Amino acid sequence: MEASWRRASRWLDGGLSPLYADAMPAMAIACLDYGWISSASGTWRPIMAGADMLACWLAVMGVGQQRRDMTCTVRGLDSNMRRMRVRWARKRLPWILTGLGAGLVLGVLQSAWTGVWWPMPMLMCLGAAAPMWPAWRANRKRFHTDYESRLMVGRWIAGLNKPPFDALPGGAHDTRVGADGSRVFQLDVSNAVQWANDSTMKTFTPVTQADGMLAGFAFMGRDRTRVTVAVCPADAPDPADLLADRTMLEARLMVDETRMGAMYGAFPGRVTDVRIVASRDGRPAVRSFRIDGSNADWDMISRDWLKGAAPGAFGDWMNTENILVTADPGGGHGWVSVDADWDSYEWDVETMRPLMSDTLTRRHDDPVRYMRLIGEDKRLKSIMSGGLEPVKLPAPETIFHDNTEIIADPAGWRITSYAMAIGRAYTAADYMRSNLRGAFSESPIADFLPWLEGDRPRSRLLQFVHAPNTDDNRGMPDTLRALTGDSRARSLLARVIVSHACALALKTPPTVGAASQLGVGANSAWRIPIRLEGGLTASDLRRVQERLKSAMGADETLWEWRDQGHAILWAGGVPSMDARDWRSRRDMDRMIRLRLDEAWAASKATGADGRPVTTLRVEDGGGRLVKASFALPAGLGVEGAMGRLDAFRATGGFMYARRVRGDAPLTLLLSRMDPLPERVMADWRLMGADPDSTGLPFAVGDDGRTVLFDPHDTAHLLITGQTMSGKTSAAVTLVNAALLHGWQAFVGDPVKSGNDFAPVKGKLSGFATGLDECAAMLDWIDREGRRRLALQKEHGAENIDMLPAGIRPPRIIVFLDEFVSLLELSKGVKRNPTGDPDVDNMIMMDAWRDRLKRRIGASVSHILTQHRSQGITMILGSQMMKAESMDALPDAGLAKSQMGRLFVGAGDVRGNVSARNEREGGPADPSGHGFGRHAERQGRVRAHGARPADGAMLVVRSERGRAGPHGGRAGRDAGRLVGSAAGQTEAGGRRRPIVGRGRGYDGERRRGPGRR
């Protein structure tokens, strides 16, 4: 009933316009009807024929409309399918005009022959409609195909208990049918969202599988009033047949796309723009395609949908069909192929060229290389995604394969360098902190580096360096100490090792520049520029110095600072001190300066920013010494640097260090070995060579030159040192030199009775061994000084040297050994309640000794302070003289200011200096077994042939003996002194233990005089 009513009520819904080709046959039939009726006689016939012609035309047009409208049929009642009328085709216009003209000519001829005019329009309509017959047939066939598709969907809907959409679909359009019965068509719907989803597909699955089919619904771009329906047989065809048939391929892709989208939260889009790009055996075998309407981009598809499952296994997109789908890195399309044997295909280069992405390569002339690069690009990104997941970083966005380079080393191992781009939300430091070596099958190298253009890093470009874990790479060095040579591979490897170590040890990895090999042969010395990032300073590097050294596998690391954020790292094995092991002597000299910088840094002599003292120059200082000039960083003064001097010597391996004058903020004389000879024979000819001189040669300086003691520079001298240290030897040498100069010599030794001066006792003007003798001798010397003062006043001379030669008395040198024993008074008050005569004797003896000591102290103080101009020089010897010991002297302050102080031997130096210079004290070696390297300068001791330096430290080290020009053991004893001259050392020597003077180098106790 409904179908009949629709046919009766919609018979002219198609319209009567002659613009459609199907109007011509109706007009031809109407003309024929006119001719049939008008052929009878009678005046009413033409009018009747005209009316019948119009009715015939309308009837034919109505019948055509009913045949086109399938909703007027029982089967198509709800199909909404109406075949569109066929319009005149412009491309067939010549044929249409030809047919129209032929009908006109035939009609004119027929009219001329019969005199009847109505066949003329009939023939013209037939002639014009004839060329449109193929188009009409194609339209009819296409419609019936669409109608079958719509009936198929309607049948499936009828089989559903509860359809998952609000309204029935409309008509089907553009149906394409594959060789295996697959269909792809468009379906009008009220809401495409209700159709293109996994739930709808699962709802239809039972009814579609009942027909042996699989169905999928996909969006058509942003259009939500239509969906693309893909239908294919449940049994997969042969892969080659599938690639050869576009409709079959599209249907399979969309059906499986719906499944993949459901697994990863994406809705499907239609497959479009399918092109043939390669063939095999004359059949299409590789195609490109796009997806229109899905929210899944190609990165997601490559990452999630195409994980590399085995062909035929359930998992990847189209895997069950044994078809390989490949996502193009350009992000616009994908590729589908029979397999990945790219060399076996015949490629259409011109079709491929516009489809190749510039992000992968700029070479678009080799499709085989391009497809292989797609696989390599996916492999690298997949591995990186897994390796970077723990640090929550994505894989680099782009890999520039044109910049990929395999760098081989002559030793056989090789590394590969890639150029990559990262997202704007990330920095190079983020990726440098990651560790991908495990992700790349425990590769020895898999590290990110900043991409350098010249010396500048690019912000979003990275260099990824990879060395696979292969047999060829087994011999690849993994430490800087083992990395010798200067090949490109080795330079890049050195950069990787340093960058990896910095990433492990520092909070923010720095930018590591290109590495340069400075050594030759087995000398591994790398020079690598580094730019600190993230606010790091030199202090941060200093805190992790040992970790860096260990991670690099370096025996030594040196830092050359350009500014607060830029440094040059020198690292490798133990640096050679042979210039032949360096490419440039300048590099070796620079290394020596940097080692000094490192010693300062290790001793914590650094500025506010952590930068250490910087070495400006290293020069020859004479002998075994070097003269080093230093610049001080901001926040560290000379006092601060000198306070770290002992630590500097210990960390730098220097046995000896002394500050001298120079044009730099700080200048030191340094030596890794003892700058003093083991033994020096006294040269008595030198001592007496210039009798008129007041300079007394008595020691050898650190530069090997003779050191003179001149009273004009230092009026008096205090020599301190432990027993057997050699302080008496220094005094013996000075007394001998004074005797050779014609001086009068006096010796007082209340403890050892002056045994060391026994060989020259007969040449001495005074020799005292007891307190009373010492007191008497000093009284006489004091009176002699007063007499000389009177003589000077008589002749108007300021000092003894200005007196006339005939009346000028000789100079006097006085040596008092164990001087502390001459100052220390009796301790406590002894009481004798029982009247014991022995105790009374002890009390009287203590009082007598104290009186003598006070006399001695008064005489010594007066001589020290008053008799310098009278040519009297006093030398005091003591094992230890503290600052408070001298305070026992009258006028102690002035007396101390007139004395130079000389420390000899081993022991604690701090007990032998004044409180004012307490900071200068300290043993040469932290173990306390070294020779002292400091002596307080209250006067000046002049080095022979050289200008003295302020604050010069003197140390005497000598064998004890009874040497002198007047005894039988002349030349046996010779003092050794480190004076104020400059010297030289070997910068690379090993530090040896320094043995105190109390023991020989063999560890045996040295014997004193008379026991050798």
Side-chain angles (χ1 to χ4, degrees):
M1 292 292 292
E2 179 66 22
S4 300
W5 169 252
R6 289 183 181 181
R7 283 196 297 272
S9 60
R10 300 179 183 178
W11 68 282
L12 282 181
D13 284 357
L16 304 175
S17 173
L19 296 178
Y20 297 93
D22 55 5
M24 296 297 101
M27 293 182 65
I29 294 175
C31 290
L32 182 62
D33 178 70
Y34 177 85
W36 174 63
I37 296 178
S38 63
S39 61
S41 60
T43 57
W44 57 271
R45 291 290 183 179
I47 297 174
M48 197 79 149
D52 192 65
M53 177 180 129
L54 179 61
C56 181
W57 180 68
L58 292 176
V60 173
M61 293 294 289
V63 171
Q65 170 60 21
Q66 291 179 1
R67 294 179 63 86
R68 290 193 299 270
D69 190 354
M70 296 295 103
T71 62
C72 296
T73 64
V74 176
R75 292 182 61 195
L77 194 65
D78 299 324
S79 65
N80 291 319
M81 294 293 295
R82 297 177 181 86
R83 177 158 51 94
M84 301 297 295
R85 299 177 65 186
V86 179
R87 287 179 175 272
W88 295 105
R90 181 175 299 179
K91 62 181 180 180
R92 293 182 177 270
L93 184 60
W95 296 98
I96 293 173
L97 294 177
T98 300
L100 186 65
L104 177 63
V105 171
L106 291 176
V108 170
L109 292 176
Q110 191 274 340
S111 297
W113 179 261
T114 63
V116 179
W117 62 269
W118 60 266
M120 184 184 302
M122 181 188 69
L123 292 175
M124 292 177 63
C125 289
L126 292 176
M132 294 300 299
W133 176 253
W136 179 81
R137 289 188 61 188
N139 181 54
R140 183 172 180 275
K141 181 180 180 180
R142 183 169 53 250
F143 175 77
H144 280 289
T145 304
D146 292 338
Y147 185 49
E148 290 176 4
S149 299
R150 179 62 183 82
L151 292 178
M152 180 176 61
V153 173
R155 185 171 64 253
W156 292 343
I157 295 174
L160 300 178
N161 294 327
K162 185 179 180 181
F165 34 79
D166 298 335
L168 291 175
H173 312 281
D174 301 330
T175 299
R176 288 179 286 118
V177 182
D180 64 345
S182 299
R183 287 176 178 263
V184 177
F185 56 91
Q186 299 176 13
L187 185 66
D188 296 331
V189 295
S190 60
N191 186 0
V193 176
Q194 296 178 348
W195 286 80
N197 56 72
D198 179 59
S199 176
T200 300
M201 186 192 74
K202 291 180 178 179
T203 302
F204 273 92
T205 298
V207 294
T208 58
Q209 288 183 343
D211 290 346
M213 294 290 183
L214 299 175
F217 306 92
F219 286 113
M220 294 182 58
R222 296 183 179 181
D223 189 353
R224 294 298 181 261
T225 63
R226 293 181 296 171
V227 294
T228 297
V229 183
V231 180
C232 63
D235 297 331
D238 181 76
D241 296 337
L242 183 59
L243 263 296
D245 192 303
R246 175 179 175 176
T247 302
M248 292 169 57
L249 178 62
E250 287 187 19
R252 292 279 173 180
L253 285 172
M254 281 189 283
V255 169
D256 209 31
E257 178 193 359
T258 305
R259 174 182 68 87
M260 299 304 299
M263 293 172 59
Y264 296 100
F267 44 80
R270 66 172 177 172
V271 174
T272 183
D273 197 16
V274 179
R275 304 183 188 181
I276 301 172
V277 296
S279 60
R280 179 187 288 172
D281 299 330
R283 304 179 69 188
V286 181
R287 294 177 182 263
S288 68
F289 68 96
R290 301 180 187 274
I291 297 178
D292 182 24
S294 176
N295 64 336
D297 58 20
W298 284 101
D299 288 337
M300 174 184 175
I301 293 173
S302 176
R303 182 182 64 250
D304 299 332
W305 298 15
L306 305 172
K307 294 185 176 181
F314 184 82
D316 284 5
W317 191 12
M318 297 294 289
N319 232 33
T320 55
E321 284 77 14
N322 290 305
I323 293 296
L324 177 64
V325 178
T326 305
D328 190 87
H333 59 277
W335 310 88
V336 59
S337 60
V338 176
D339 50 46
D341 187 8
W342 310 118
D343 290 321
S344 64
Y345 296 113
E346 299 173 4
W347 295 91
D348 186 348
V349 179
E350 296 304 321
T351 304
M352 277 283 293
R353 198 185 305 276
L355 298 173
M356 296 183 187
S357 170
D358 287 340
T359 60
L360 193 65
T361 177
R362 294 186 179 275
R363 290 177 49 190
H364 296 169
D365 56 349
D366 190 350
V368 174
R369 174 178 177 269
Y370 184 83
M371 298 305 293
R372 286 176 176 167
L373 287 181
I374 291 177
E376 177 67 9
D377 188 87
K378 177 177 176 59
R379 183 186 72 85
L380 288 174
K381 289 183 178 179
S382 176
I383 296 175
M384 290 183 180
S385 295
L388 294 172
E389 185 176 359
V391 292
K392 294 180 172 50
L393 291 174
E397 291 183 348
T398 307
I399 301 177
F400 302 100
H401 292 275
D402 288 345
N403 297 95
T404 301
E405 184 178 9
I406 299 177
I407 307 173
D409 186 78
W413 52 268
R414 61 185 59 196
I415 54 181
T416 305
S417 171
Y418 301 89
M420 300 184 179
I422 58 176
R424 296 183 180 275
Y426 306 98
T427 64
D430 297 331
Y431 285 83
M432 291 169 65
R433 280 192 290 264
S434 62
N435 187 353
L436 295 180
R437 300 186 178 188
F440 281 88
S441 302
E442 299 300 330
S443 296
I445 295 177
D447 294 78
F448 286 104
L449 301 174
W451 184 269
L452 299 180
E453 289 189 356
D455 293 333
R456 294 180 174 272
R458 293 286 299 274
S459 59
R460 296 181 57 242
L461 287 182
L462 294 177
Q463 180 181 11
F464 180 69
V465 183
H466 177 229
N469 187 7
T470 61
D471 292 337
D472 293 339
N473 289 338
R474 300 295 183 193
M476 177 185 296
D478 57 356
T479 61
L480 287 184
R481 68 170 64 91
L483 189 60
T484 58
D486 61 343
S487 66
R488 284 190 61 207
R490 291 176 181 263
S491 297
L492 181 57
L493 180 57
R495 184 183 174 211
V496 170
I497 291 174
V498 173
S499 179
H500 183 69
C502 292
L504 291 177
L506 296 173
K507 180 179 180 181
T508 303
T511 298
V512 179
S516 303
Q517 176 66 272
L518 306 180
V520 297
N523 184 28
S524 176
W526 291 95
R527 183 180 185 271
I528 307 168
I530 291 180
R531 188 180 79 172
L532 300 182
E533 309 287 355
L536 291 179
T537 65
S539 298
D540 300 311
L541 287 178
R542 180 59 48 196
R543 283 193 291 269
V544 297
Q545 173 76 359
E546 293 305 318
R547 286 188 60 193
L548 285 174
K549 187 184 298 185
S550 175
M552 294 177 193
D555 293 321
E556 188 163 3
T557 54
L558 306 173
W559 297 92
E560 179 182 357
W561 290 98
R562 296 301 190 188
D563 53 45
Q564 293 185 2
H566 295 80
I568 296 177
L569 170 65
W570 296 53
V574 177
S576 172
M577 299 310 300
D578 189 342
R580 293 172 297 181
D581 293 334
W582 294 82
R583 299 179 185 276
S584 170
R585 175 58 186 264
R586 184 180 304 173
D587 293 333
M588 187 185 75
D589 293 340
R590 184 59 183 160
M591 180 274 300
I592 294 173
R593 295 196 297 271
L594 291 177
R595 292 183 78 178
L596 294 177
D597 295 353
E598 184 64 21
W600 281 115
S603 64
K604 300 183 180 179
T606 57
D609 59 354
R611 296 172 61 188
V613 176
T614 303
T615 307
L616 301 177
R617 293 182 303 277
V618 178
E619 304 169 322
D620 185 1
R624 297 180 177 179
L625 300 176
V626 292
K627 182 179 181 181
S629 301
F630 302 97
L632 303 179
L636 181 70
V638 175
E639 297 298 324
M642 292 302 296
R644 307 302 306 172
L645 183 60
D646 284 343
F648 165 73
R649 289 192 303 102
T651 55
F654 294 108
M655 183 179 293
Y656 173 74
R658 178 167 61 86
R659 184 187 177 194
V660 294
R661 286 182 178 178
D663 56 357
L666 179 62
T667 304
L668 297 177
L669 287 177
L670 302 171
S671 176
R672 293 188 181 275
M673 302 176 66
D674 191 345
L676 298 175
E678 177 62 22
R679 182 183 298 249
V680 177
M681 303 303 294
D683 189 347
W684 305 113
R685 290 176 299 175
L686 177 62
M687 291 183 180
D690 187 8
D692 295 333
S693 172
T694 57
L696 304 179
F698 78 105
V700 175
D702 52 8
D703 58 352
R705 289 179 288 181
T706 302
V707 178
L708 303 180
F709 171 69
D710 194 337
H712 286 151
D713 293 324
T714 303
H716 310 286
L717 186 63
L718 172 62
I719 305 175
T720 57
Q722 294 179 345
T723 302
M724 301 295 293
S725 63
K727 63 181 183 298
T728 306
S729 296
V732 168
T733 305
L734 286 170
V735 169
N736 278 283
L739 290 173
L740 288 174
H741 281 66
W743 293 16
Q744 291 180 290
F746 296 82
V747 174
D749 187 357
V751 176
K752 295 179 294 183
S753 301
N755 292 331
D756 294 298
F757 292 88
V760 295
K761 184 176 180 180
K763 303 298 182 180
L764 300 176
S765 299
F767 187 81
T769 59
L771 282 176
D772 54 344
E773 293 179 0
C774 288
M777 183 181 70
L778 292 172
D779 285 344
W780 185 91
I781 294 172
D782 188 20
R783 290 195 302 271
E784 174 64 13
R786 297 175 190 272
R787 187 189 69 81
R788 295 186 179 198
L789 178 59
L791 186 62
Q792 289 175 203
K793 290 181 179 180
E794 180 182 347
H795 291 82
E798 295 182 1
N799 53 59
I800 193 174
D801 295 326
M802 299 178 65
L803 289 173
I807 63 173
R808 183 191 309 144
R811 283 185 168 271
I812 296 175
I813 185 169
V814 182
F815 174 64
L816 297 179
D817 202 359
E818 304 299 340
F819 181 62
V820 173
S821 65
L822 299 178
L823 296 180
E824 293 179 346
L825 301 179
S826 301
K827 295 182 179 179
V829 178
K830 293 184 176 61
R831 300 182 181 277
N832 187 15
T834 62
D836 189 339
D838 291 334
V839 176
D840 286 338
N841 288 335
M842 292 175 59
I843 294 174
M844 285 187 295
M845 286 302 296
D846 287 345
W848 176 73
R849 292 190 188 95
D850 290 346
R851 285 195 299 271
L852 290 176
K853 290 180 180 181
R854 290 189 180 93
R855 283 176 55 193
I856 291 173
S859 297
V860 169
S861 180
H862 198 264
I863 294 171
L864 291 175
T865 59
Q866 302 299 324
H867 294 326
R868 174 178 182 175
S869 298
Q870 285 73 54
I872 300 176
T873 298
M874 180 166 285
I875 301 176
L876 306 179
S878 177
Q879 291 189 19
M880 183 172 292
M881 179 70 76
K882 295 184 179 294
E884 57 269 18
S885 299
M886 292 288 291
D887 293 339
L889 295 176
D891 202 4
L894 180 59
K896 288 189 289 186
S897 67
Q898 297 298 314
M899 299 184 66
R901 184 162 294 184
L902 182 66
F903 171 71
V904 289
D908 189 358
V909 184
R910 288 171 294 182
N912 292 273
V913 295
S914 68
R916 178 170 59 87
N917 286 329
E918 183 74 18
R919 62 176 178 80
E920 296 180 354
D925 185 271
S927 64
H929 296 295
F931 294 112
R933 285 296 182 260
H934 302 280
E936 179 187 353
R937 289 301 310 275
Q938 294 174 334
R940 293 196 304 168
V941 176
R942 180 168 57 86
H944 180 67
R947 191 182 71 171
D950 289 345
M953 301 297 116
L954 300 182
V955 176
V956 169
R957 184 174 68 181
S958 72
E959 296 291 343
R960 293 196 53 185
R962 291 173 291 181
H966 312 289
R969 312 189 121 200
R972 172 174 291 185
D973 187 13
R976 297 196 299 167
L977 175 140
V978 177
S980 60
Q984 182 179 1
T985 185
E986 296 184 20
R990 291 184 176 270
R991 181 185 181 195
R992 64 175 176 85
I994 307 173
V995 183
R997 192 56 5 208
R999 294 185 179 272
Y1001 286 106
D1002 56 359
E1004 295 180 357
R1005 195 73 174 178
R1006 292 193 181 273
R1007 296 181 178 180
R1011 293 183 291 171
R1012 299 188 177 184

